Coordinates of all heavy atoms in Angstrom, one line a residue:
M1 N 102.6 116.7 107.6 CA 102.5 116.1 109.0 C 101.8 114.8 109.0 O 100.7 114.7 108.4 CB 101.9 117.2 109.9 CG 101.9 116.8 111.3 SD 101.4 118.2 112.3 CE 100.8 117.4 113.7
A2 N 102.3 113.8 109.6 CA 101.7 112.5 109.7 C 100.5 112.5 110.6 O 100.5 113.2 111.6 CB 102.8 111.5 110.2
T3 N 99.5 111.7 110.3 CA 98.4 111.5 111.1 C 98.8 110.7 112.3 O 99.4 109.6 112.2 CB 97.3 110.8 110.3 OG1 97.0 111.5 109.1 CG2 96.0 110.8 111.1
P4 N 98.4 111.1 113.5 CA 98.7 110.3 114.7 C 98.0 109.0 114.7 O 96.9 108.8 114.3 CB 98.3 111.2 115.9 CG 97.3 112.1 115.3 CD 97.6 112.3 113.9
K5 N 98.7 108.0 115.3 CA 98.1 106.6 115.4 C 97.1 106.6 116.6 O 97.5 107.2 117.6 CB 99.2 105.6 115.6 CG 100.0 105.4 114.3 CD 101.0 104.2 114.5 CE 101.7 104.0 113.2 NZ 102.5 102.8 113.3
T6 N 96.0 106.0 116.4 CA 95.1 105.8 117.5 C 94.9 104.4 117.9 O 95.0 103.5 117.0 CB 93.7 106.4 117.1 OG1 93.2 105.8 115.9 CG2 93.8 107.9 116.8
L7 N 94.6 104.1 119.1 CA 94.4 102.8 119.6 C 93.0 102.4 119.2 O 92.0 103.1 119.5 CB 94.6 102.7 121.1 CG 94.3 101.3 121.7 CD1 95.3 100.3 121.2 CD2 94.4 101.4 123.3
R8 N 92.9 101.2 118.6 CA 91.6 100.7 118.2 C 91.4 99.2 118.7 O 92.4 98.5 119.0 CB 91.4 100.7 116.7 CG 91.6 102.1 116.1 CD 91.5 102.1 114.7 NE 91.9 103.3 114.2 CZ 91.9 103.7 112.9 NH1 91.5 102.8 112.0 NH2 92.3 104.9 112.5
T9 N 90.1 98.8 118.8 CA 89.8 97.4 119.2 C 88.9 96.9 118.1 O 87.8 97.5 117.8 CB 89.2 97.4 120.6 OG1 90.0 98.1 121.5 CG2 88.9 96.0 121.0
C10 N 89.2 95.7 117.6 CA 88.3 95.1 116.6 C 87.2 94.3 117.2 O 87.2 94.2 118.5 CB 89.1 94.2 115.6 SG 89.6 92.6 116.3
K11 N 86.3 93.8 116.4 CA 85.2 93.0 117.0 C 85.7 91.7 117.7 O 84.9 91.2 118.6 CB 84.3 92.5 115.8 CG 83.5 93.7 115.2 CD 82.7 93.2 114.0 CE 82.0 94.4 113.3 NZ 81.2 94.0 112.2
Q12 N 86.8 91.2 117.4 CA 87.4 90.0 118.0 C 88.1 90.4 119.4 O 88.6 89.5 120.1 CB 88.4 89.3 117.1 CG 87.8 88.9 115.8 CD 86.6 88.0 116.0 OE1 86.6 87.1 116.8 NE2 85.6 88.2 115.2
G13 N 88.3 91.7 119.6 CA 88.9 92.1 120.9 C 90.4 92.4 120.7 O 91.0 92.8 121.7
H14 N 90.9 92.3 119.5 CA 92.3 92.7 119.3 C 92.5 94.2 119.4 O 91.7 94.9 118.9 CB 92.8 92.2 117.9 CG 92.6 90.7 117.7 ND1 92.0 90.2 116.6 CD2 93.0 89.7 118.5 CE1 92.0 88.9 116.7 NE2 92.6 88.6 117.8
Q15 N 93.6 94.6 120.0 CA 93.9 96.0 120.1 C 95.1 96.3 119.2 O 96.1 95.5 119.2 CB 94.2 96.5 121.5 CG 92.9 96.4 122.4 CD 93.1 97.1 123.7 OE1 94.2 97.0 124.3 NE2 92.1 97.8 124.2
Y16 N 95.0 97.4 118.5 CA 96.1 97.8 117.5 C 96.1 99.3 117.3 O 95.1 99.9 117.6 CB 95.9 97.0 116.2 CG 94.6 97.3 115.5 CD1 94.5 98.3 114.5 CD2 93.5 96.6 115.9 CE1 93.3 98.5 113.9 CE2 92.3 96.8 115.3 CZ 92.2 97.8 114.3 OH 91.0 98.0 113.7
Y17 N 97.2 99.8 116.9 CA 97.3 101.2 116.5 C 97.3 101.4 115.0 O 97.9 100.6 114.3 CB 98.6 101.8 117.1 CG 98.6 102.0 118.6 CD1 99.0 101.0 119.4 CD2 98.1 103.2 119.1 CE1 99.0 101.2 120.8 CE2 98.0 103.4 120.5 CZ 98.5 102.4 121.3 OH 98.5 102.5 122.7
K18 N 96.6 102.4 114.6 CA 96.5 102.7 113.2 C 96.3 104.2 112.9 O 95.6 104.9 113.7 CB 95.3 101.9 112.5 CG 95.6 101.4 111.2 CD 94.6 100.4 110.8 CE 95.1 99.5 109.7 NZ 94.1 98.7 109.1
S19 N 96.9 104.7 111.9 CA 96.8 106.2 111.6 C 95.8 106.4 110.5 O 95.3 107.5 110.4 CB 98.2 106.7 111.2 OG 98.7 106.1 110.1
S20 N 95.5 105.4 109.7 CA 94.5 105.7 108.6 C 93.1 105.4 109.1 O 92.9 104.8 110.2 CB 94.8 104.8 107.4 OG 94.5 103.4 107.7
D21 N 92.1 105.6 108.3 CA 90.7 105.3 108.7 C 90.3 103.9 108.2 O 89.1 103.6 108.3 CB 89.7 106.4 108.2 CG 89.7 106.6 106.7 OD1 90.6 106.0 106.0 OD2 88.9 107.4 106.2
C22 N 91.2 103.1 107.8 CA 91.0 101.7 107.3 C 90.5 100.9 108.6 O 91.2 100.9 109.6 CB 92.2 101.1 106.7 SG 92.1 99.4 106.3
P23 N 89.4 100.2 108.5 CA 88.9 99.5 109.6 C 89.5 98.1 109.8 O 89.1 97.4 110.7 CB 87.4 99.4 109.3 CG 87.3 99.3 107.8 CD 88.4 100.2 107.4
T24 N 90.3 97.7 108.9 CA 90.9 96.3 108.9 C 91.8 96.1 110.1 O 92.8 96.9 110.2 CB 91.6 96.0 107.6 OG1 90.7 96.2 106.5 CG2 92.1 94.6 107.6
C25 N 91.6 95.1 110.8 CA 92.5 94.7 112.0 C 93.7 93.9 111.5 O 93.5 92.9 110.9 CB 91.7 93.9 113.0 SG 92.7 93.2 114.3
P26 N 94.9 94.4 111.7 CA 96.1 93.7 111.2 C 96.3 92.3 111.9 O 96.8 91.4 111.3 CB 97.2 94.6 111.5 CG 96.7 95.6 112.5 CD 95.3 95.7 112.3
I27 N 95.8 92.2 113.1 CA 96.0 90.9 113.8 C 95.0 89.9 113.2 O 95.4 88.7 112.9 CB 95.7 91.1 115.3 CG1 96.7 92.1 115.9 CG2 95.8 89.8 116.1 CD1 96.4 92.7 117.2
C28 N 93.8 90.3 112.9 CA 92.8 89.3 112.3 C 93.4 88.9 110.9 O 93.2 87.8 110.5 CB 91.5 90.0 112.1 SG 90.6 90.2 113.7
E29 N 93.9 89.9 110.2 CA 94.5 89.6 108.8 C 95.6 88.6 108.9 O 95.7 87.7 108.1 CB 94.9 90.9 108.1 CG 93.8 91.8 107.7 CD 92.9 91.1 106.6 OE1 93.4 90.6 105.6 OE2 91.7 91.1 106.9
K30 N 96.5 88.7 109.9 CA 97.5 87.7 110.0 C 97.0 86.3 110.4 O 97.5 85.3 109.9 CB 98.5 88.1 111.1 CG 99.6 89.0 110.7 CD 100.7 89.2 111.7 CE 101.8 90.0 111.2 NZ 102.8 90.2 112.1
I31 N 96.0 86.3 111.2 CA 95.4 85.0 111.6 C 94.8 84.3 110.4 O 94.9 83.1 110.3 CB 94.4 85.2 112.8 CG1 95.1 85.6 114.0 CG2 93.6 83.9 113.0 CD1 94.2 86.1 115.1
K32 N 94.1 85.0 109.6 CA 93.4 84.4 108.5 C 94.2 84.2 107.2 O 93.8 83.6 106.2 CB 92.1 85.1 108.1 CG 92.3 86.4 107.4 CD 90.9 87.0 107.1 CE 91.0 88.2 106.2 NZ 89.7 88.8 105.9
A33 N 95.5 84.6 107.2 CA 96.4 84.4 106.1 C 96.7 82.9 105.9 O 96.9 82.2 106.9 CB 97.7 85.1 106.3
P34 N 96.6 82.4 104.7 CA 96.9 81.0 104.4 C 98.4 80.7 104.7 O 99.3 81.5 104.5 CB 96.6 80.8 103.0 CG 96.7 82.1 102.4 CD 96.3 83.1 103.4
A35 N 98.6 79.4 105.2 CA 100.0 79.0 105.5 C 100.7 78.5 104.3 O 101.9 78.4 104.3 CB 99.9 77.9 106.6
S36 N 100.0 78.1 103.3 CA 100.6 77.5 102.1 C 99.8 77.9 100.9 O 98.7 78.4 101.0 CB 100.8 76.0 102.2 OG 99.5 75.4 102.3
G37 N 100.4 77.5 99.7 CA 99.7 77.9 98.5 C 100.1 79.2 97.9 O 100.8 80.0 98.6
F38 N 99.7 79.5 96.7 CA 100.2 80.8 96.1 C 99.6 82.0 96.8 O 100.3 83.0 96.8 CB 99.8 80.8 94.6 CG 98.4 81.1 94.3 CD1 98.1 82.4 93.8 CD2 97.4 80.3 94.4 CE1 96.8 82.8 93.5 CE2 96.1 80.6 94.1 CZ 95.8 81.9 93.6
L39 N 98.5 81.9 97.4 CA 97.9 83.1 98.1 C 98.8 83.4 99.4 O 98.8 84.6 99.8 CB 96.5 82.8 98.5 CG 95.5 82.7 97.4 CD1 94.1 82.3 97.9 CD2 95.4 84.1 96.7
S40 N 99.5 82.5 99.9 CA 100.3 82.8 101.1 C 101.5 83.6 100.7 O 102.1 84.2 101.6 CB 100.8 81.5 101.7 OG 101.7 80.8 100.9
L41 N 101.8 83.7 99.5 CA 103.0 84.5 99.0 C 102.7 86.0 98.8 O 103.6 86.8 98.6 CB 103.5 83.9 97.7 CG 103.9 82.5 97.6 CD1 104.2 82.0 96.2 CD2 105.0 82.2 98.6
L42 N 101.4 86.3 99.0 CA 101.0 87.7 98.7 C 100.6 88.5 99.9 O 100.3 87.9 101.0 CB 99.7 87.6 97.8 CG 99.8 86.9 96.5 CD1 98.5 86.8 95.8 CD2 100.8 87.6 95.6
S43 N 100.6 89.8 99.7 CA 100.2 90.7 100.8 C 98.7 90.6 101.0 O 98.0 90.1 100.1 CB 100.6 92.1 100.5 OG 99.8 92.5 99.3
S44 N 98.2 91.0 102.1 CA 96.8 90.9 102.4 C 95.9 91.6 101.3 O 94.9 91.1 100.8 CB 96.4 91.5 103.8 OG 96.9 90.6 104.8
P45 N 96.3 92.9 100.9 CA 95.5 93.5 99.9 C 95.4 92.7 98.6 O 94.4 92.6 98.0 CB 96.2 94.9 99.7 CG 96.9 95.1 100.9 CD 97.3 93.8 101.4
A46 N 96.6 92.2 98.2 CA 96.6 91.4 96.9 C 95.8 90.1 97.1 O 95.0 89.7 96.2 CB 98.1 91.1 96.5
R47 N 96.0 89.4 98.2 CA 95.3 88.2 98.4 C 93.8 88.4 98.5 O 93.0 87.7 97.8 CB 95.7 87.6 99.7 CG 95.1 86.3 100.1 CD 95.7 85.6 101.3 NE 95.8 86.5 102.5 CZ 96.9 87.0 103.0 NH1 98.0 86.8 102.5 NH2 96.8 87.8 104.1
N48 N 93.3 89.5 99.1 CA 91.9 89.8 99.2 C 91.3 90.2 97.9 O 90.2 89.9 97.6 CB 91.7 91.0 100.3 CG 92.0 90.5 101.7 OD1 91.9 89.3 102.0 ND2 92.3 91.5 102.5
A49 N 92.1 90.9 97.1 CA 91.6 91.3 95.7 C 91.3 90.0 94.9 O 90.3 89.9 94.3 CB 92.7 92.1 95.0
L50 N 92.3 89.1 94.9 CA 92.0 87.8 94.1 C 90.9 87.1 94.7 O 90.0 86.6 93.9 CB 93.3 87.0 94.2 CG 94.5 87.5 93.4 CD1 95.7 86.6 93.6 CD2 94.2 87.7 92.0
L51 N 90.8 86.9 96.0 CA 89.6 86.2 96.6 C 88.3 86.9 96.3 O 87.3 86.2 96.1 CB 89.9 86.1 98.1 CG 91.0 85.1 98.5 CD1 91.2 85.2 100.0 CD2 90.7 83.7 98.0
H52 N 88.3 88.2 96.3 CA 87.1 88.9 96.0 C 86.5 88.6 94.6 O 85.3 88.5 94.4 CB 87.3 90.5 96.1 CG 86.1 91.3 95.8 ND1 85.1 91.4 96.6 CD2 85.8 92.0 94.6 CE1 84.2 92.2 96.1 NE2 84.6 92.6 94.9
Y53 N 87.4 88.3 93.7 CA 87.0 88.0 92.3 C 87.0 86.5 92.1 O 87.0 86.0 90.9 CB 88.0 88.7 91.3 CG 87.7 90.2 91.3 CD1 88.5 91.0 92.0 CD2 86.6 90.7 90.5 CE1 88.2 92.4 92.0 CE2 86.3 92.0 90.5 CZ 87.1 92.9 91.2 OH 86.8 94.2 91.2
G54 N 87.0 85.7 93.1 CA 86.9 84.2 93.0 C 88.1 83.5 92.5 O 88.1 82.4 92.1
I55 N 89.3 84.2 92.6 CA 90.5 83.6 92.1 C 91.2 83.0 93.3 O 92.0 83.6 94.0 CB 91.4 84.6 91.4 CG1 90.6 85.3 90.2 CG2 92.7 84.0 90.9 CD1 91.3 86.5 89.6
D56 N 90.9 81.7 93.6 CA 91.4 81.0 94.7 C 92.3 79.8 94.4 O 92.7 79.1 95.3 CB 90.3 80.7 95.7 CG 89.2 79.8 95.1 OD1 89.3 79.5 93.8 OD2 88.3 79.4 95.8
T57 N 92.5 79.5 93.1 CA 93.3 78.5 92.7 C 94.3 79.0 91.6 O 94.0 80.0 90.9 CB 92.6 77.2 92.2 OG1 91.9 77.6 90.9 CG2 91.5 76.7 93.2
I58 N 95.4 78.3 91.5 CA 96.3 78.7 90.4 C 95.7 78.5 89.0 O 96.0 79.3 88.1 CB 97.7 77.9 90.6 CG1 98.8 78.7 89.9 CG2 97.6 76.5 90.2 CD1 99.2 80.0 90.5
E59 N 94.8 77.5 88.9 CA 94.2 77.3 87.6 C 93.3 78.5 87.2 O 93.2 78.9 86.1 CB 93.4 76.0 87.6 CG 94.2 74.7 87.7 CD 94.8 74.4 89.1 OE1 94.3 75.0 90.1 OE2 95.7 73.6 89.2
K60 N 92.6 79.0 88.2 CA 91.7 80.2 88.0 C 92.5 81.4 87.7 O 92.1 82.2 86.9 CB 90.8 80.4 89.2 CG 89.7 79.4 89.4 CD 88.8 79.7 90.6 CE 87.8 78.7 90.8 NZ 87.0 79.0 92.0
L61 N 93.7 81.5 88.3 CA 94.6 82.6 88.0 C 95.0 82.6 86.5 O 95.1 83.6 85.9 CB 95.8 82.6 88.9 CG 96.9 83.7 88.7 CD1 96.3 85.1 89.0 CD2 98.1 83.4 89.6
A62 N 95.3 81.4 86.0 CA 95.8 81.2 84.7 C 94.7 81.6 83.6 O 95.0 81.7 82.4 CB 96.3 79.8 84.5
E63 N 93.5 81.7 84.0 CA 92.4 82.1 83.1 C 92.4 83.6 82.8 O 91.5 84.0 82.1 CB 91.1 81.6 83.7 CG 90.9 80.1 83.9 CD 89.6 79.8 84.6 OE1 88.8 80.6 85.0 OE2 89.4 78.5 84.8
H64 N 93.2 84.3 83.5 CA 93.3 85.8 83.4 C 94.6 86.3 82.8 O 95.6 85.6 82.9 CB 93.1 86.4 84.7 CG 91.8 86.1 85.4 ND1 90.6 86.8 85.1 CD2 91.4 85.1 86.2 CE1 89.6 86.2 85.8 NE2 90.1 85.2 86.5
T65 N 94.5 87.4 82.1 CA 95.7 88.0 81.6 C 96.4 88.7 82.7 O 95.8 89.1 83.7 CB 95.4 89.0 80.4 OG1 94.7 90.1 81.0 CG2 94.7 88.4 79.3
E66 N 97.7 89.0 82.5 CA 98.5 89.7 83.5 C 97.9 91.1 83.7 O 97.8 91.6 84.8 CB 99.9 89.8 83.0 CG 100.9 90.3 83.9 CD 102.4 90.2 83.4 OE1 102.7 89.2 82.8 OE2 103.1 91.2 83.6
K67 N 97.4 91.7 82.6 CA 96.9 93.1 82.6 C 95.6 93.1 83.4 O 95.3 94.0 84.2 CB 96.6 93.5 81.2 CG 96.1 94.9 81.1 CD 96.0 95.4 79.6 CE 95.5 96.8 79.5 NZ 95.3 97.2 78.1
E68 N 94.8 92.0 83.3 CA 93.5 91.9 84.1 C 93.8 91.8 85.6 O 93.2 92.5 86.4 CB 92.7 90.7 83.7 CG 92.1 90.8 82.3 CD 91.5 89.5 81.8 OE1 91.9 88.4 82.3 OE2 90.6 89.5 81.0
I69 N 94.8 91.1 85.9 CA 95.2 90.9 87.3 C 95.7 92.2 87.9 O 95.4 92.6 89.0 CB 96.2 89.7 87.5 CG1 95.6 88.4 87.1 CG2 96.7 89.7 89.0 CD1 94.3 88.0 87.9
L70 N 96.6 92.9 87.1 CA 97.2 94.2 87.6 C 96.1 95.2 87.7 O 96.3 96.2 88.5 CB 98.2 94.7 86.6 CG 99.6 94.2 86.9 CD1 100.5 94.7 85.7 CD2 100.1 94.7 88.2
A71 N 95.0 95.1 87.0 CA 93.9 96.1 87.1 C 93.1 96.0 88.4 O 92.3 96.9 88.7 CB 93.0 96.0 85.9
L72 N 93.2 94.9 89.1 CA 92.4 94.7 90.3 C 93.0 95.6 91.4 O 94.2 95.7 91.7 CB 92.5 93.2 90.8 CG 92.0 92.2 89.8 CD1 92.2 90.8 90.4 CD2 90.6 92.4 89.5
H73 N 92.1 96.2 92.1 CA 92.4 97.1 93.3 C 93.1 96.2 94.4 O 92.5 95.2 94.8 CB 91.2 97.8 93.8 CG 91.6 98.7 95.0 ND1 92.2 99.9 94.8 CD2 91.4 98.5 96.3 CE1 92.4 100.4 96.0 NE2 91.9 99.6 96.9
G74 N 94.3 96.5 94.7 CA 95.0 95.7 95.7 C 96.2 95.0 95.2 O 97.1 94.5 95.9
I75 N 96.2 94.8 93.8 CA 97.3 94.1 93.2 C 98.3 95.2 92.6 O 97.9 96.1 91.9 CB 96.8 93.3 92.0 CG1 95.8 92.2 92.5 CG2 98.0 92.6 91.2 CD1 96.4 91.0 93.2
G76 N 99.5 95.0 92.9 CA 100.6 95.9 92.4 C 101.6 95.1 91.7 O 101.6 93.9 91.7
K77 N 102.6 95.8 91.1 CA 103.6 95.1 90.3 C 104.4 94.2 91.2 O 104.9 93.2 90.7 CB 104.5 96.2 89.7 CG 103.9 96.9 88.6 CD 104.8 97.9 88.0 CE 104.1 98.7 86.9 NZ 105.0 99.7 86.2
A78 N 104.5 94.4 92.5 CA 105.3 93.5 93.4 C 104.6 92.1 93.5 O 105.3 91.2 93.9 CB 105.5 94.1 94.7
S79 N 103.3 92.1 93.2 CA 102.6 90.8 93.3 C 102.9 89.9 92.1 O 102.7 88.7 92.3 CB 101.1 91.1 93.4 OG 100.8 91.9 94.5
L80 N 103.3 90.4 91.0 CA 103.5 89.6 89.8 C 104.6 88.6 89.9 O 104.4 87.4 89.5 CB 103.7 90.5 88.6 CG 102.4 91.3 88.2 CD1 102.7 92.1 86.9 CD2 101.3 90.3 87.9
P81 N 105.8 88.9 90.4 CA 106.8 87.8 90.4 C 106.4 86.6 91.1 O 106.6 85.5 90.5 CB 108.0 88.5 91.0 CG 107.8 90.0 90.7 CD 106.3 90.2 90.8
P82 N 105.9 86.6 92.3 CA 105.5 85.3 93.0 C 104.3 84.6 92.2 O 104.3 83.4 92.2 CB 105.0 85.7 94.4 CG 104.9 87.2 94.4 CD 105.7 87.7 93.3
L83 N 103.5 85.4 91.6 CA 102.4 84.8 90.8 C 102.9 84.1 89.6 O 102.6 83.0 89.3 CB 101.3 85.8 90.4 CG 100.5 86.4 91.6 CD1 99.6 87.5 91.1 CD2 99.8 85.4 92.3
K84 N 103.8 84.8 88.9 CA 104.4 84.2 87.7 C 105.2 82.9 88.0 O 105.2 81.9 87.3 CB 105.4 85.2 87.0 CG 104.6 86.3 86.3 CD 105.6 87.2 85.6 CE 105.0 88.3 84.9 NZ 105.9 89.3 84.2
K85 N 106.0 83.0 89.1 CA 106.8 81.8 89.5 C 105.9 80.6 89.9 O 106.2 79.5 89.5 CB 107.6 82.2 90.7 CG 108.5 81.0 91.2 CD 109.4 81.4 92.4 CE 110.3 80.3 92.7 NZ 110.8 80.3 94.1
T86 N 104.8 80.9 90.6 CA 103.9 79.8 90.9 C 103.2 79.2 89.7 O 103.0 78.0 89.6 CB 102.8 80.3 91.9 OG1 103.5 80.9 93.1 CG2 101.9 79.2 92.4
L87 N 102.8 80.1 88.8 CA 102.2 79.6 87.5 C 103.2 78.7 86.8 O 102.9 77.6 86.3 CB 101.8 80.8 86.6 CG 100.5 81.5 87.0 CD1 100.4 82.8 86.3 CD2 99.3 80.6 86.7
E88 N 104.5 79.2 86.7 CA 105.5 78.5 86.0 C 105.7 77.1 86.6 O 105.9 76.1 85.9 CB 106.8 79.3 86.0 CG 107.9 78.7 85.2 CD 109.2 79.5 85.3 OE1 109.1 80.7 85.0 OE2 110.2 79.0 85.7
E89 N 105.8 77.0 88.0 CA 106.0 75.8 88.7 C 104.9 74.8 88.4 O 105.1 73.6 88.5 CB 106.2 76.0 90.2 CG 107.5 76.7 90.5 CD 107.5 77.1 92.0 OE1 106.5 77.1 92.7 OE2 108.6 77.6 92.4
A90 N 103.7 75.3 88.1 CA 102.5 74.4 87.9 C 102.4 74.1 86.4 O 101.4 73.5 86.0 CB 101.3 75.1 88.4
G91 N 103.3 74.7 85.6 CA 103.3 74.4 84.1 C 102.2 75.3 83.5 O 101.7 74.9 82.4
L92 N 101.9 76.4 84.1 CA 100.9 77.3 83.5 C 101.4 78.7 83.3 O 102.5 79.0 83.7 CB 99.7 77.4 84.6 CG 99.0 76.1 84.9 CD1 98.1 76.4 86.1 CD2 98.2 75.6 83.8
N93 N 100.6 79.5 82.6 CA 101.0 80.9 82.3 C 99.8 81.8 82.4 O 98.6 81.2 82.4 CB 101.6 81.1 80.9 CG 103.0 80.5 80.8 OD1 103.9 80.9 81.5 ND2 103.1 79.5 79.9
F94 N 100.0 83.1 82.5 CA 98.8 84.0 82.4 C 98.3 83.8 81.0 O 99.0 83.5 80.0 CB 99.3 85.4 82.6 CG 99.5 85.8 84.0 CD1 100.7 86.1 84.5 CD2 98.4 85.9 84.9 CE1 100.9 86.5 85.8 CE2 98.5 86.3 86.2 CZ 99.8 86.6 86.7
K95 N 97.0 84.0 80.9 CA 96.3 84.0 79.6 C 96.9 85.1 78.7 O 97.2 86.2 79.1 CB 94.8 84.2 79.8 CG 93.9 84.2 78.6 CD 92.5 84.4 79.0 CE 91.6 84.7 77.8 NZ 90.3 85.0 78.3
I96 N 97.0 84.7 77.4 CA 97.5 85.7 76.4 C 96.2 86.3 75.7 O 95.3 85.6 75.4 CB 98.3 85.0 75.3 CG1 99.5 84.2 76.0 CG2 98.8 86.0 74.3 CD1 100.6 85.0 76.6
N97 N 96.3 87.6 75.5 CA 95.1 88.3 74.9 C 94.6 87.5 73.8 O 94.7 87.3 72.8 CB 95.4 89.7 74.5 CG 95.7 90.6 75.8 OD1 95.7 90.1 76.9 ND2 95.9 91.8 75.6

């Protein structure tokens, strides 16, 4: 049985419905999402995972192996294709062991 959605209000005053106990406001997440760059291609969990570890440029991403990036909480296999494409367009690759 699915958990019922409850109405919540974030610190900014946005109202939203959520069924999990995650406190993240989806409206705030949309507002703070970048409009361009490789981070704009990712979901919020993937973007937040990279930012948490200080990976905010494509050059910093290239300093890590694919395995290291996949090990970050919030990064899934679906995040890899846009990351690989962006690295390729910049003439870069994931670090090789």
Side-chain angles (χ1 to χ4, degrees):
M1 184 169 157
T3 307
K5 291 185 176 186
T6 57
L7 178 63
R8 302 180 191 182
T9 305
C10 76
K11 292 177 184 178
Q12 303 300 319
H14 303 128
Q15 291 192 323
Y16 59 95
Y17 285 91
K18 219 169 200 186
S19 60
S20 71
D21 57 356
C22 173
T24 304
C25 170
I27 299 166
C28 288
E29 286 299 308
K30 271 190 174 178
I31 292 170
K32 74 178 189 180
S36 62
F38 81 102
L39 291 172
S40 69
L41 305 172
L42 303 173
S43 66
S44 289
R47 183 174 52 252
N48 291 338
L50 292 177
L51 291 173
H52 178 75
Y53 288 97
I55 304 170
D56 56 358
T57 66
I58 199 69
E59 292 79 14
K60 288 181 184 178
L61 179 65
E63 295 172 2
H64 299 275
T65 65
E66 192 173 317
K67 187 176 180 180
E68 290 171 337
I69 297 300
L70 271 175
L72 301 178
H73 180 75
I75 301 284
K77 291 182 181 181
S79 301
L80 289 181
L83 293 177
K84 286 180 180 180
K85 182 179 181 201
T86 304
L87 283 167
E88 184 181 306
E89 288 172 353
L92 301 169
N93 287 302
F94 280 112
K95 179 179 166 184
I96 306 290
N97 292 4

